[in-house]
Every structure is written in structure tokens, then in C-alpha cells.
Amino acid sequence: MDNILSVSVFLPLIAGFILLFLPNRINSLSKAFTLIISAITFVLSIRIFTLGQAEYVCPILQIGDFNLEFLLSAKPLGTFILMFAMGFGLLIALYSLKSMAGAKQLNVYYGSILITIGGSAGILLSDHLLFVLIFWEIVTASLYLLITTGGRNSNFAATKSFAMIGASDAAFMLGLFIVWALSGTFIISDISLPTTSALSIIAFLLLMTAAITKAGALPLHTWLPTSGEYAPVSVMALLPAAIDKLLGIYLLVIIVRQIFVLESEALRAILSLIGAATLIIAVMIAMVQHNLKKLLSYHAISQVGYMILGIATMTPVGIAGGIFHMLNNAIYKCCLFLCGGAVERVTGTAELDELGGLGKKMSITFITCLIAALSISGIPPLNGFVSKWMIYQGLIQMGTTQVGAVAKLWPFWLTCAMFGSALTLASFVKLIHSMFLSRLPDKLKDVKEVSPSMTIPMMVLAFLCVFFGIFYHVPLKMFIYPALAVVPELSTWWSGLATILILIGIGLGLLILLVGLLAKKIRIVPTWTCGEVQTNEQMTIPGTHFYKTVSEMGGLKQLYVGQEKGYFDSYVQSGKVGLGLTGFLSWLHSGILPMYLTWVTLGLLIILFVVCKIW
């Protein structure tokens, strides 16, 4: 029975590798193969979750005292995340049947989806750091391949993502070997290092860098909006919106709760600052975006701030809230990307200024997008509200039960979290208005709802947003609390009563609307301005114009300009440093003999000085 662990990892990996080399002309086989394998893997993940404890051990190499074993272990945290990660893979495979119709490189696309699923399973089930690193690299490579299927200009986005995540993976590797040097083992369950020495602190920071880069937190976040602009929407829904968040936060929780004993106040301060900065800065940038995919990408970054803040509290309710928010964010953010992909599919554009009035044309997409937008904004009774509420409680408990500078600043952290929710709501008011509620452009009058293979995944995710909000005790008791082996004291809210009152309010509003429609006949007449009839296009008021005032505010304008020019993009700035260093080396290697003699003489003098100092 324990072989089920290895099958769930290697079945999608092998199948995905085979699909990479299939001809693109038989893409129907690739579609069917991907759908079947992802469904099997999802069923296996449910079975693994119900098994409880299980292990799979395969000896590989033994040299003296060094014994390398391929070790898979089913533990509550990894198995519950595994089940949802495989579920997202299945939904994206179903959604892609129509959303990727007509695209090129479908063999690479579907093969990479299966490789992503298998690599993610390997990360979540491995109890050996070396194999976690190997599967981590597999997921990074699959992300690169998936982004390249986006067509024009996607190669730049893929290269940037691979370079930034690859650099953080190098930090992962270095931190991993420092952990091994300090603990003498690669087995995660056998490691518990106090953060009291310089080496252990360096190892923590290196592993943390890998985790937050994968999750998309500041300052190593800029690969995500670039990918969002050029990659297929289904890719963004699968990886940056869902699986990458799950894997990054999973690693961060393992680091904080298992590999290290977080005793350093400075490290907690770093985590808290990263969380608060990610939350506020990313949502501020999202507010002024006009491209749907870039807007959603920055919100995918912003939500990571809540998760990191919850973990940084080091309180049971805060960490539970952070993990619950990780799950909730994957659900509603995946739904939002899928809704955006549906709109782009039928309209041919992701620019908010060119959209509008699609609520009647795409009613299912509108309703699911509205639910997900309210959820990410923290509106009750949806799931995003519950996890944010738990994080708020964790911040308050940190201030009342702990000592230290980080705990004393709990009002600041709480203010950032609540302010971020308000800005998120403002941003999604713009999105909903621009896409669904404003005037319908003439060119979009023939738009129709997308096919069921695209709407079903959106409906499933929207349903989970509602279910996990009203019946929040179900995921907490089934997934979150067992994963942490704690049952924190939670100040609950009456979700049932709140839901009933909200439904009553909606019902009354619909009743008033119906009475108004029946009471008088609506007469549609042309709109006149200065004696001239205004066309439909002239009367359209884009929802993005109001938010332009934010980018023109004193003190913020310079920051927005700097952001657009890439001043805060670590990838761009590191590239400039690299070019500067290359230019300096080119100047040194000028081919002029006196220049070379000068450097040789200077080098000999330095060596002579050092030797004299030693003696």
C-alpha cells in the first residue's frame, strides 16, 4: 500500500516526460492523456490523505556512514496540500481543453502540466531535503516550459522567471548543505536547529529566500507579473496562483516549525516586515493596473503578505490562519485567473478599458468572478474573510501574550493587514465594474458564455469559496488543525446567522428591483450632449480612470514611475550590475600590453605585501 506514494509521484512525471516528445498534430491524445492521468493522481492523493501515516523507502547509495535513501512520507500537512494541489491540476487540465484550443506547442503544455503535478507531489511527500530540492527544480523547469507556450514575447517572461527562481534555488541548495553540516542529516523529521549561531541564521535566511521567491513575496516577486502578462491564463491559475503558493508557504512552514527553532527576534522581524511590505506595496501597484492579468498577478503577490504575517506571529491561531489563507488564496485566485481567461478568450483582450457590460453576456463567469473577488477582499461569509479574521486574531494574541519589539508592533501589523483588505476591495470594484457592469462596447455585442469545460472549474472553485466560508469548521478540523497538531483558541463568528442576514438583504434588494421594473415601463432613448446624439462608445466611462488619481498623488507618483521603469525590479537591477561588471572587465582586457604589465606589476606588489605581513 505504501507504493501508492511513489506511484503518485512518478506516474505523472513519466507520463509528462513522454508527452513532451509527442507530435503536436496528435494533441487530442495529449489532452485525453493529461485529463486521465491528472484524475488518477487526484484520486490517489485522496487515498493518501485518508491513509494517515505511510512511508516509502528505496535505498539508492551507501558510502561509509553516508546512506542515501529515497524517502517519501505521508504527513498531515503535506497530504492535505497534496490533495488540493492535485485537484487544481485536474481542474486546469479540464479548463485547458477549450481555453488552449488552437494554441501551438500543446504537447509541451500538457506534458509540463503533468510534470508540475508529479514534481509537486514529490516536494510534498519527500522527507529528504536532497529530493525536495530535486523536485523543486523539476517544478521550476516545468514553469519555464509552461510560460514559453504563451506565444509572442513569452520567452522573455520564461527566462526572467527561470533566472529569478533559479537564483533562489541556488540559495536553497546552499542553505540545505549548511543545514546538513550543522545537523548531520538530510532527513527533515530528524532536524531541529536553534537559530542561535551565525551559520544557522544564514541557513534560515537562504531557505526562507527560496520559499518566499516561489510564493511570490517582495523583493523577489517581479517574475510573477511579467509571467502574468505573457503566459497563458491557465498557466497562471495553476502555478503562480495556486501550486507555487502552496509549495512556497509549505516550505516556509516546514522551515519555521520543524527545521529551525525560531528564537531570533531579528528573524521574526524580517518575516513580519516582508509580510507587511508585500501586502501593502503589491496591492498599491495592483490598484493602478489596466491589464487584467497584471492586476491579478499583483494581487497574487499581495495575498502572500497575509500568509507570512500569520506565520510570523508564531501563535497557533496565526499560523493556522496563514495556512488556511494559503489554501483559500489558491482557491479564489485560481478562480479569478480562470474567469479572466474566459473573458480574454471570447473578447480577445485583457485590457480593462476595452471591456464592459459582460455581466448579461457571460452570467456564469460574472457570478463566479464576483464571488472570488468578494472572497479575496475579505467579505463575509466567504472563505477569505475567515482566514484573514484568524490572522488578525493571531496578531492581537502576539501582542498580548509575547514580549519583544515585534510583538509590541502588533497594532502596526494589524493596521497593514486591514488597510490591505480595504485596498483590495477598492481594486476589485474597479475590475468588476470595468468587465461586467459598465456599458457593453459595440464590438462585444455578439459575445457568448464560454463552454462548460471552462465554466465547471470556475463554478467548483466559487462553490469552495462559499462553502469554506460558511462551514469554515470543516476545512479547519479536517485539514488545518491536524496538519499543525494544534487546536487554537479561535474567536468565532456566527457564519450561519450572518449568511442568513446577507441572503435576506439580497432578497429584499431583488424584490425592490422587481417591483420597480414592474411598476413602470422602461423607455430607452438616445443620450444628447450639446444638441448631438452620443454614441454608445462615447458614453462609456472606463472604471480605470478614477484610480489614475492615485498614481498622480504627491509622494506616490515618483514611486509608481520608478516601479514602471523597473527601479525596484531586482532582475533588471542585477542585469545592470552585470552589464557594468562586464564593461569594466572589457576595459581591463583592452589588448594593450602596457595595461597588462601595469596590472601584473600591481598584483605582484600586493602578493609581496601580503607575504611580508605574514612573515
Side-chain angles (χ1 to χ4, degrees), residues 153-231:
N153 296 326
S154 62
N155 286 338
F156 167 72
T159 302
K160 181 176 181 178
S161 301
F162 188 79
M164 295 190 70
I165 298 179
S168 72
D169 293 350
F172 191 174
M173 183 183 299
L174 181 57
L176 179 152
F177 283 108
I178 294 176
V179 168
W180 174 72
L182 294 174
S183 64
T185 182
F186 287 112
I187 307 301
I188 296 174
S189 56
D190 294 339
I191 303 173
S192 182
L193 296 174
T195 52
T196 53
S197 65
L199 270 181
S200 63
I201 291 175
I202 292 172
F204 175 86
L205 292 174
L206 289 170
L207 294 179
M208 182 197 73
T209 299
I212 66 172
T213 304
K214 176 72 78 175
L218 269 67
L220 302 172
H221 65 289
T222 54
W223 66 271
L224 205 155
T226 305
S227 301
E229 191 172 1
Y230 299 110

Side-chain angles (χ1 to χ4, degrees), residues 68-90:
L68 181 61
E69 295 179 332
F70 179 60
L71 177 59
L72 299 177
S73 178
K75 296 180 180 179
L77 178 62
T79 55
F80 111 75
I81 297 178
L82 173 70
M83 184 169 56
F84 281 95
M86 300 303 101
F88 288 125
L90 176 59

Side-chain angles (χ1 to χ4, degrees), residues 56-133:
Y56 173 83
V57 182
C58 179
I60 295 179
L61 178 67
Q62 185 168 4
I63 303 176
D65 295 333
F66 180 76
N67 185 22
L68 181 61
E69 295 179 332
F70 179 60
L71 177 59
L72 299 177
S73 178
K75 296 180 180 179
L77 178 62
T79 55
F80 111 75
I81 297 178
L82 173 70
M83 184 169 56
F84 281 95
M86 300 303 101
F88 288 125
L90 176 59
L91 290 176
I92 297 303
L94 177 61
Y95 182 89
S96 301
L97 297 180
K98 285 294 183 180
S99 70
M100 294 297 292
K104 299 179 180 179
Q105 296 183 294
L106 284 179
N107 57 329
V108 175
Y109 175 82
Y110 286 109
S112 299
I113 284 181
L114 290 180
I115 291 174
T116 299
I117 291 173
S120 302
I123 294 171
L124 296 167
L125 294 176
S126 293
D127 197 31
H128 196 291
L129 279 173
L130 279 178
F131 291 102
V132 171
L133 177 63

Side-chain angles (χ1 to χ4, degrees), residues 210-381:
I212 66 172
T213 304
K214 176 72 78 175
L218 269 67
L220 302 172
H221 65 289
T222 54
W223 66 271
L224 205 155
T226 305
S227 301
E229 191 172 1
Y230 299 110
V233 173
S234 53
V235 173
M236 297 301 296
L238 176 64
L239 275 166
I243 290 183
D244 275 351
K245 294 289 181 293
L246 298 178
L247 298 181
I249 298 303
Y250 167 77
L251 178 60
L252 186 60
V253 172
I254 292 297
I255 293 169
V256 170
R257 285 181 54 87
Q258 193 161 338
I259 297 179
F260 296 96
V261 179
L262 203 61
E263 299 174 347
S264 171
E265 183 77 10
L267 294 180
R268 289 185 58 198
I270 290 173
L271 274 178
S272 301
L273 285 171
I274 290 174
T278 299
L279 197 161
I280 295 298
I281 295 175
V283 75
M284 290 292 293
I285 298 174
M287 286 184 66
V288 298
Q289 297 302 318
H290 293 185
N291 182 278
L292 170 62
K293 294 192 290 186
K294 288 189 72 174
L295 183 148
L296 293 178
S297 297
Y298 277 109
H299 277 295
I301 297 168
S302 175
Q303 295 301 303
V304 179
Y306 286 100
M307 307 170 206
I308 297 176
L309 267 182
I311 295 170
T313 64
M314 296 305 293
T315 62
V317 66
I319 296 176
I323 295 177
F324 194 24
H325 198 70
M326 168 200 72
L327 175 60
N328 290 335
N329 175 77
I331 293 170
Y332 56 62
K333 183 54 67 175
C334 184
C335 183
L336 286 167
F337 270 110
L338 296 186
C339 293
V343 169
E344 185 181 26
R345 175 76 180 174
V346 299
T347 63
T349 182
E351 296 297 325
L352 296 179
D353 290 339
E354 300 176 14
L355 299 171
L358 297 175
K360 292 183 179 179
K361 297 289 185 177
M362 306 176 69
S363 56
I364 297 177
T365 302
F366 170 46
I367 293 171
T368 54
C369 186
L370 179 62
I371 291 173
L374 294 175
S375 182
I376 192 176
S377 304
I379 303 300

